[in-house]
Amino acid sequence: MNLLPPESSPMAKKQGFRSLKLVNVDLDHVLSDEPFGVDYGRLDNGLFYYVRSNSKPRARAALALAVKAGSVLEEEDERGVAHIVEHLAFSATTNYTNHDIIKFLESIGSEFGPCQNAVTSADDTVYELFVPVDKPELLSQAISVLAEFSTEVRVSKEDLNKERGAVMEEYRGNRNATGRMQDSNWLLMMEGSKYAERLPIGLEKVIRTVSAETVKQFYKKWYHLSNMALIAVGDFSDTQSVVELIKTHFGRKTSVPEPPLIPTFSVPSHEEPRFSCFVESEAAGSAVMISYKMAVGELKTVRDYRDLLAESMFLQALNQRFFKISRRQDPPYFSCSASTDILVDPLKAYLMTSSCKEKGTIKALESMLIEIARVRLHGFSDREVSIVRAQLMSEIESAYLERDQMQSTSLRDEYLQHFLRDEPVIGIEYEAQLQKTLLPQISASDLSKYAEKLRTSCSVIKTIEPRASAVVDDLKNVVSKINALEKEKNILPWDEDQIPEEIVTVKPNPGYIVQQFEYSNIGATELFLSNGMRVCYKCTDFLNDQVMFTGFSYGSLSELPESDYFSCSMGQTIAEEIGVYGYRPSVLMDMLAGKRAEVGNTIGAYMRTFSADCSPSDLETALQLVYQLFTTNVTPGDEVVKLVMQMSEEAVHAQERDPYTVFANRVKELNYGKSYFFRPIRISDLQKVDPLKACDYFNNCFKDPSSFTVVIVGNINPTIAVPLILQYLGGMPMPPEPVLHFNRDDLKGLPFTFPRTIIRESVYSPMVEAQCSVQLCFPVELKTGAMVEEIHFVGFLSRLIETKIMQVLRFKHGQIYTAGVSVFLGGNKPSRTGDVRGDISINFSCDPEIASKLVDLTLDELLRLQEEGPSDEDISTILEIEQRAHENGLQENYWWLDRILRGYQSRVYSGDLGASFKIQDEARSKVRKSLTPSTAQLALQRIMPFPCTKQYTAVILMPRKSRLKSLTSFFQSTLSTYGREAKILAGLAGLTVLFLSLRRCSQSIRKS
């Protein structure tokens, strides 16, 4: 029986969910084991496959090879081998050598990193590809690559030695404060289990010394086709032809005759809580984490699904309270949240984390435990439950409306979880019916039961501090205190705020349209409103439940004198704590329950902007918030200012503890001078902030609508949307006198000057464990004549440089994990005349001992590109990557929003958006057609210093040696001089600490 009404328009689709019939649910009904909407089967050799046709995005496919083999299967001498295998797969197989797989995939537009990658966790390994399929052979070739991964990975001594450096650099990158906190927390959670000693990154000794034979044995033993699945979701004309491709490439493959039995490893529970006080000198701040451990429950029946919904409602209701507490006067923490996660196959945990001021962990812990006890004693109110119910209903409604527009990567991930975790895939239509039926049946008492699971018996309670203040006895005393209060029922019920019904209490008189223009080449309409605001909207059908918009106005922080800069730059932060939309943030959160409307604002160097993302049905709400932004005057209160300053001071102290801060500050100082705009904020700056001046400036930033241009993109029905635009944007009052009106050509430019000579220096910073980071920077100057084309050239060149640096430093020398190339042109004022200055920077981390050598190798490669030019293959690859990204963007609202904004902000814009758009498109086409090895070579010479070795900055972050290590080095040198053999053993007790999230350890995003 068809439960869905016919739908022919966006509004019909909206009503489609609201008229969706409820189902008669049997809570004991077993959910289907067969995944919904997919061609699902198994080959004779044991390989599972999932194939689904999905046209979002067009002409693309999301592929994955899932292997039920992770680091927990490693023996002691193999710790890290599962991850090494993942790296070697991209390095060499039977039919590909020297990272040719990566080169091939990039040649078809599948960029390394975003479109080809892999993840090793404790329980499994997943290889992912995102490839174009507009040519028949591309899908076949991509599937053949995954087939190579399944049985044909080449593990030779040469291959392994080549990849050790990249793996080692990934290991080193994890040994920062965050990595140490995560790793130590993992050990505490998994204590008594094999998981505790099987972090996917492995051991340094194994990475450096493991033999190729050991790696090969692991691969051959555990990579069995019966433990694998191939998932393919994409824009296929039919699924059967894809199944045939899978059979072609995988069908003849065989593994060892008998599949290995995959052992299971339990994580023992404990009757008493575990307490830990971690001290991490480089920690970003003080924090508390409470982890409640439990076995992973089944999701087999409708009752299990209902329990999952109730759990989600419980966590959302709890988070609402945490947020409101964080916004009170003198709050116990700056932020706090609760979540749940499956850490490993047998273990699930509820995780509660908070960040607080230094020496505030005990107060934070007490508040967190009191709130859980309060729920156990008094539960949630009916209003709290109705709010979170509305939120979940809004989320499933949005998913249902966009059920035919889901990204292929999202569907692929669902089938991955079906294979790896036995999670049912029941289809969004049935899921929407279930939620619509079940959510109203879940009561406050159902939610309160989940608080019973948060008893402190099988839990881990930890504090993180940069300097020790709490001790374990303090934590135990807090637990005893709260248990006593709960036993005596001496905890009061939750005190609720009064929530206004309407965002805009008195609706404004609508404005009117003064002028209207149509731009057929963009499919956009431009309106000039009676209050001077300009609005451009474009109707799309990319997502049924999305409308996005951004408004901007020229003139911002660059116009301020230094004496006002720091106060005014704090205006946004102070104002948002007060409530920029007319209501305190905690109150507004409840007012927006069940609505999908998010609005934010930014005050930058040259522009003030506001942005929104909403459902078409909540467009009025989003526009009301913008109206409130322009009509609300925020006034600083002592308590709000105190909280903001406290949080800001904590952030400054956190930066001071971070070894990278001195490095980043020096890079900015060298490249942009000592301008107050670029230098980091200091405690002394915060002490000079004038809150009244800060709020006055913020109020003025969003007061005069006549200077703003607004671009709206999405599923817009003009008949409905335009009257709302006229009422809330056109109805904004004009101030008596213009406020912050600036001509874009007359704005003050930020003061910065790139050094005219070569500067190479090392910045030494104390570190718990050695880290090294490199930034190599070159000035860029674009001449006025062909500015639009030159900007496109810069984009292509940055992609070319990044590709070549990766080829040299990682794939040839094997000494880095990844490299990034970024272009900064944002220091220039948005004038339509004059040259544009900026820089291109290259960033990577590496072994401190070879950092200078790698800088030289990078310079050599750049100079070679300038003197000899790139190859035809290089040019073909970057053109293909850019074209594929362009094609994907054409199908997304955010891309069109950005393109139209750039059309207005382009220096070629002179009042005609269509003409600006056309010039930009023609410039892109011109550069693409003209890009050859020789034109790229000339562009490298023209845009960057030539030779590149004559003007650049190179800053290297190096670990500062401790006095003990320096003394050790001195004695070693002295003893060596006298020809004596000696060994001086020096140990450093590493401080292990906890992190706010377990996901990096449990999911182990170890990407190749």
Side-chain angles (χ1 to χ4, degrees):
M1 181 176 67
N2 183 15
L3 295 172
L4 304 180
E7 299 172 348
S8 57
S9 69
M11 288 308 295
K13 289 193 175 187
K14 188 73 179 178
Q15 293 303 319
F17 177 81
R18 293 177 181 175
S19 61
L20 187 63
K21 294 181 180 178
L22 305 181
V23 290
N24 293 319
V25 293
D26 174 5
L27 293 179
D28 295 321
H29 174 72
V30 178
L31 301 173
S32 175
D33 288 335
E34 292 288 312
F36 175 84
V38 66
D39 199 336
Y40 171 64
R42 195 172 191 184
L43 303 185
D44 292 338
N45 58 16
L47 178 84
F48 291 88
Y49 63 81
Y50 302 71
V51 180
R52 174 165 175 167
S53 294
N54 186 65
S55 59
K56 182 77 173 177
R58 291 189 296 271
R60 298 292 184 275
L63 311 177
L65 177 69
V67 187
K68 291 181 178 178
S71 59
V72 75
L73 298 177
E74 298 164 347
E75 299 300 331
E76 185 63 26
D77 64 340
E78 297 174 330
R79 291 176 65 176
V81 165
H83 178 227
I84 290 174
V85 168
E86 172 220 304
H87 271 252
L88 289 173
F90 285 94
S91 174
T93 64
T94 300
N95 295 309
Y96 295 90
T97 60
N98 196 28
H99 296 93
D100 285 342
I101 284 178
I102 294 173
K103 295 174 187 174
F104 156 68
L105 290 169
E106 289 204 322
S107 74
I108 65 172
S110 183
E111 187 178 1
F112 183 62
C115 301
Q116 44 171 314
N117 225 313
V119 182
T120 302
S121 75
D123 294 305
D124 48 68
T125 304
V126 178
Y127 301 87
E128 298 175 347
L129 301 179
F130 185 70
V131 296
V133 292
D134 50 355
K135 298 174 186 175
E137 70 276 8
L138 296 183
L139 179 61
S140 178
Q141 289 172 303
I143 291 174
S144 76
V145 166
L146 293 176
E148 293 275 309
F149 293 167
S150 69
T151 59
E152 307 295 332
V153 174
R154 194 179 75 188
V155 188
S156 69
K157 182 178 179 180
E158 179 186 7
D159 296 325
L160 180 56
N161 288 338
K162 231 175 175 182
E163 200 64 23
R164 287 188 205 271
V167 180
M168 193 59 226
E169 187 49 42
E170 190 175 353
Y171 174 89
R172 184 182 293 107
N174 188 55
R175 303 311 304 157
N176 56 16
T178 299
R180 288 190 295 273
M181 289 189 285
Q182 291 171 332
D183 290 356
S184 59
N185 185 63
W186 177 264
L187 295 174
L188 198 60
M189 290 288 288
M190 302 297 167
E191 186 178 322
S193 165
K194 189 178 179 183
Y195 284 106
E197 299 179 343
R198 292 299 181 269
L199 283 166
I201 194 63
L203 299 177
E204 179 178 356
K205 179 181 177 181
V206 174
I207 296 170
R208 291 189 183 277
T209 64
V210 69
S211 69
E213 187 58 35
T214 300
V215 177
K216 186 181 297 184
Q217 286 174 359
F218 181 91
Y219 175 65
K220 292 297 183 183
K221 179 178 181 180
W222 297 113
Y223 272 57
H224 196 283
L225 289 164
S226 62
N227 296 325
M228 298 185 195
L230 190 285
I231 297 102
V233 181
D235 194 7
F236 312 135
S237 56
D238 67 283
T239 58
Q240 190 54 43
S241 62
V242 182
V243 173
E244 292 303 317
L245 284 176
I246 294 172
K247 291 178 178 179
T248 298
H249 293 294
F250 281 89
R252 298 176 192 162
K253 293 189 175 297
T254 58
S255 301
V256 292
E258 287 298 321
L261 179 65
I262 303 290
T264 58
F265 304 94
S266 63
V267 180
S269 61
H270 42 94
E271 294 301 318
E272 295 297 323
R274 293 174 181 163
F275 298 95
S276 293
C277 295
F278 291 93
V279 178
E280 168 56 63
S281 60
E282 297 173 6
S286 298
V288 177
M289 182 173 186
I290 310 173
S291 306
Y292 301 91
K293 297 163 55 176
M294 62 199 69
V296 174
E298 288 189 329
L299 182 54
K300 298 293 185 184
T301 66
V302 173
R303 187 186 308 278
D304 297 333
Y305 188 82
R306 182 186 185 276
D307 290 344
L308 196 67
L309 289 177
E311 177 185 79
S312 181
M313 291 175 68
F314 165 74
L315 291 170
Q316 287 201 33
L318 190 58
N319 283 329
Q320 299 252 5
R321 287 195 180 182
F322 286 152
F323 178 76
K324 291 174 182 178
I325 292 170
S326 73
R327 297 283 133 342
R328 290 177 177 171
Q329 293 183 7
D330 192 24
Y333 41 70
F334 299 136
S335 66
C336 184
S337 65
S339 63
T340 183
D341 195 13
I342 296 176
L343 306 180
V344 293
D345 280 350
L347 182 67
K348 171 181 174 177
Y350 287 102
L351 308 171
M352 288 171 51
T353 62
S354 69
S355 63
C356 59
K357 64 183 179 181
E358 194 166 350
K359 299 182 179 180
T361 53
I362 299 304
K363 183 179 179 181
L365 173 62
E366 185 173 312
S367 177
M368 294 162 74
L369 292 178
I370 281 179
E371 215 46 55
I372 298 299
R374 194 191 315 275
V375 176
R376 282 195 291 264
L377 286 174
H378 305 290
F380 293 106
S381 70
D382 289 340
R383 193 181 79 180
E384 287 178 295
V385 175
S386 67
I387 285 173
V388 296
R389 182 186 293 122
Q391 289 172 339
L392 285 180
M393 198 72 83
S394 175
E395 290 171 10
I396 191 62
E397 180 178 19
S398 181
Y400 178 76
L401 293 175
E402 295 175 352
R403 61 193 180 279
D404 298 325
Q405 300 163 322
M406 291 183 69
Q407 292 284 347
S408 291
T409 50
S410 298
L411 292 169
R412 176 190 65 189
D413 292 345
E414 283 191 22
Y415 297 125
L416 277 170
Q417 293 308 306
H418 179 271
F419 174 68
L420 296 172
R421 307 280 180 267
D422 293 324
E423 290 186 7
V425 178
I426 59 178
I428 190 63
E429 291 89 348
Y430 181 49
E431 196 163 356
Q433 287 181 295
L434 276 182
Q435 290 203 28
K436 189 173 182 183
T437 302
L438 294 172
L439 283 171
Q441 300 175 9
I442 298 174
S443 65
S445 61
D446 291 323
L447 270 60
S448 299
K449 288 187 295 187
Y450 283 88
E452 291 296 330
K453 295 186 178 185
L454 274 61
R455 295 285 181 181
T456 54
S457 55
C458 191
S459 66
V460 178
I461 300 176
K462 322 173 195 69
T463 60
I464 315 167
E465 295 180 296
R467 287 180 287 272
S469 68
V471 296
V472 167
D473 283 346
D474 295 330
L475 310 189
K476 291 180 178 180
N477 290 338
V478 170
V479 172
S480 298
K481 175 183 175 181
I482 305 308
N483 287 343
L485 289 173
E486 183 177 0
K487 186 177 181 180
E488 297 163 3
K489 298 185 178 180
N490 200 13
I491 298 174
L492 296 174
W494 177 256
D495 186 18
E496 293 191 290
D497 292 323
Q498 292 298 315
I499 306 301
E501 293 293 328
E502 298 290 338
I503 294 173
V504 177
T505 53
V506 179
K507 292 189 177 181
N509 295 322
Y512 55 89
I513 299 171
V514 177
Q515 286 182 297
Q516 179 170 329
F517 299 95
E518 303 292 336
Y519 297 108
S520 58
N521 61 327
I522 311 173
T525 301
E526 184 180 63
L527 310 175
F528 286 86
L529 307 186
S530 52
N531 61 2
M533 182 176 278
R534 175 171 49 193
V535 178
C536 177
Y537 66 84
K538 176 179 173 63
C539 307
T540 71
D541 58 2
F542 305 137
L543 289 172
N544 289 333
D545 200 45
Q546 185 180 65
V547 175
M548 307 176 75
F549 62 83
T550 294
F552 73 92
S553 177
Y554 291 112
S556 196
L557 295 174
S558 74
E559 300 300 309
L560 298 171
E562 184 174 358
S563 58
D564 292 342
Y565 171 74
F566 288 107
S567 287
C568 294
S569 66
M570 289 294 293
Q572 181 182 356
T573 306
I574 296 172
E576 285 182 347
E577 285 299 317
I578 299 168
V580 297
Y581 306 109
Y583 306 94
R584 300 196 320 273
S586 58
V587 172
L588 186 64
M589 177 179 65
D590 285 354
M591 295 176 70
L592 296 178
K595 298 181 182 295
R596 202 176 76 73
E598 300 177 11
V599 178
N601 60 84
T602 304
I603 299 176
Y606 298 115
M607 285 189 287
R608 296 155 280 136
T609 62
F610 59 83
S611 298
D613 187 334
C614 64
S615 168
S617 61
D618 295 322
L619 176 60
E620 180 172 12
T621 299
L623 292 173
Q624 285 179 336
L625 291 172
V626 175
Y627 175 82
Q628 290 290 102
L629 174 65
F630 275 75
T631 56
T632 297
N633 277 313
V634 292
T635 304
D638 291 342
E639 289 298 328
V640 169
V641 172
K642 179 183 175 183
L643 175 62
V644 170
M645 292 304 158
Q646 196 173 62
M647 293 172 66
S648 300
E649 288 177 10
E650 290 286 339
V652 171
H653 289 312
Q655 287 185 340
E656 292 170 349
R657 290 189 294 268
D658 187 346
Y660 285 88
T661 297
V662 65
F663 167 71
N665 290 347
R666 185 56 179 156
V667 168
K668 285 190 286 188
E669 185 178 7
L670 284 177
N671 294 343
Y672 310 123
K674 298 182 179 180
S675 166
Y676 63 88
F677 193 88
F678 290 101
R679 74 167 174 81
I681 196 165
R682 299 186 285 248
I683 296 293
S684 58
D685 297 320
L686 293 175
Q687 293 169 347
K688 298 174 185 175
V689 168
D690 180 342
L692 188 60
K693 181 181 290 186
C695 289
D696 284 345
Y697 180 73
F698 180 86
N699 291 333
N700 285 332
C701 282
F702 301 99
K703 179 168 287 187
D704 189 342
S706 66
S707 66
F708 277 81
T709 296
V710 183
V711 178
I712 308 176
V713 175
N715 185 17
I716 303 164
N717 181 340
T719 305
I720 298 172
V722 171
L724 296 175
I725 290 169
L726 293 179
Q727 181 158 47
Y728 295 109
L729 299 185
M732 290 178 182
M734 287 280 291
E737 299 290 334
V739 178
L740 297 186
H741 262 245
F742 296 94
N743 184 318
R744 62 181 291 186
D745 297 319
D746 299 329
L747 296 178
K748 296 178 182 177
L750 297 179
F752 70 96
T753 304
F754 197 90
R756 298 188 177 278
T757 58
I758 298 171
I759 297 179
R760 287 182 68 149
E761 66 176 57
S762 295
V763 175
Y764 292 88
S765 182
M767 303 178 191
V768 175
E769 295 187 59
Q771 300 279 316
C772 177
S773 190
V774 174
Q775 177 151 321
L776 187 59
C777 203
F778 304 87
V780 166
E781 188 165 353
L782 309 181
K783 298 297 181 181
T784 303
M787 182 65 65
V788 181
E789 288 90 343
E790 290 289 76
I791 289 175
H792 282 288
F793 263 117
V794 169
F796 282 109
L797 295 182
S798 65
R799 163 47 51 194
L800 171 66
I801 293 170
E802 185 170 294
T803 300
K804 299 307 292 183
I805 297 306
M806 282 289 288
Q807 288 177 5
V808 172
L809 298 189
R810 174 161 180 182
F811 304 145
K812 181 179 178 180
H813 293 280
Q815 296 297 341
I816 67 168
Y817 174 54
T818 190
V821 174
S822 57
V823 178
F824 175 67
L825 302 175
N828 295 276
K829 62 181 182 179
S831 170
R832 283 167 286 202
T833 60
D835 298 340
V836 169
R837 295 178 299 122
D839 57 70
I840 292 179
S841 62
I842 302 168
N843 307 275
F844 56 85
S845 61
C846 62
D847 185 336
E849 299 295 325
I850 60 171
S852 187
K853 174 187 173 184
L854 297 189
V855 169
D856 291 335
L857 287 173
T858 302
L859 290 168
D860 290 345
E861 179 61 17
L862 287 176
L863 186 59
R864 187 194 67 77
L865 289 171
Q866 286 185 318
E867 292 179 341
E868 301 174 17
S871 67
D872 288 325
E873 181 184 359
D874 293 331
I875 296 302
S876 174
T877 295
I878 63 171
L879 284 171
E880 192 70 14
I881 290 173
E882 190 273 347
Q883 177 62 24
R884 297 306 187 177
H886 182 78
E887 291 169 358
N888 288 342
L890 287 170
Q891 305 171 60
E892 300 293 342
N893 288 325
Y894 72 83
W895 187 90
W896 279 101
L897 178 64
D898 181 65
R899 281 287 284 112
I900 296 174
L901 286 168
R902 284 192 285 119
Y904 279 116
Q905 295 165 8
S906 169
R907 61 171 45 209
V908 300
Y909 176 73
S910 58
D912 187 330
L913 180 63
S916 173
F917 217 90
K918 182 179 178 183
I919 292 170
Q920 288 182 309
D921 276 353
E922 288 174 348
R924 173 181 174 267
S925 298
K926 182 179 178 181
V927 172
R928 283 186 59 85
K929 290 176 182 177
S930 68
L931 199 63
T932 64
S934 59
T935 58
Q937 178 186 357
L938 290 172
L940 283 165
Q941 295 176 1
R942 179 177 68 250
I943 293 173
M944 295 175 64
F946 178 63
C948 63
T949 51
K950 77 175 184 180
Q951 187 184 5
Y952 66 88
T953 62
V955 183
I956 304 173
L957 172 64
M958 297 287 282
R960 180 187 295 166
K961 288 186 178 180
S962 69
R963 292 180 179 178
L964 174 60
K965 290 183 178 178
S966 299
L967 195 60
T968 299
S969 300
F970 169 77
F971 277 111
Q972 285 176 332
S973 173
T974 303
L975 293 172
S976 174
T977 302
Y978 286 94
R980 298 168 57 187
E981 292 184 0
K983 292 183 179 180
I984 299 179
L985 303 177
L988 178 65
L991 301 175
T992 55
V993 284
L994 127 101
F995 184 53
L996 299 180
S997 170
L998 285 170
R999 182 167 295 273
R1000 189 171 175 187
C1001 287
S1002 62
Q1003 305 278 329
S1004 289
I1005 304 178
R1006 310 293 181 194
K1007 300 196 173 184
S1008 291

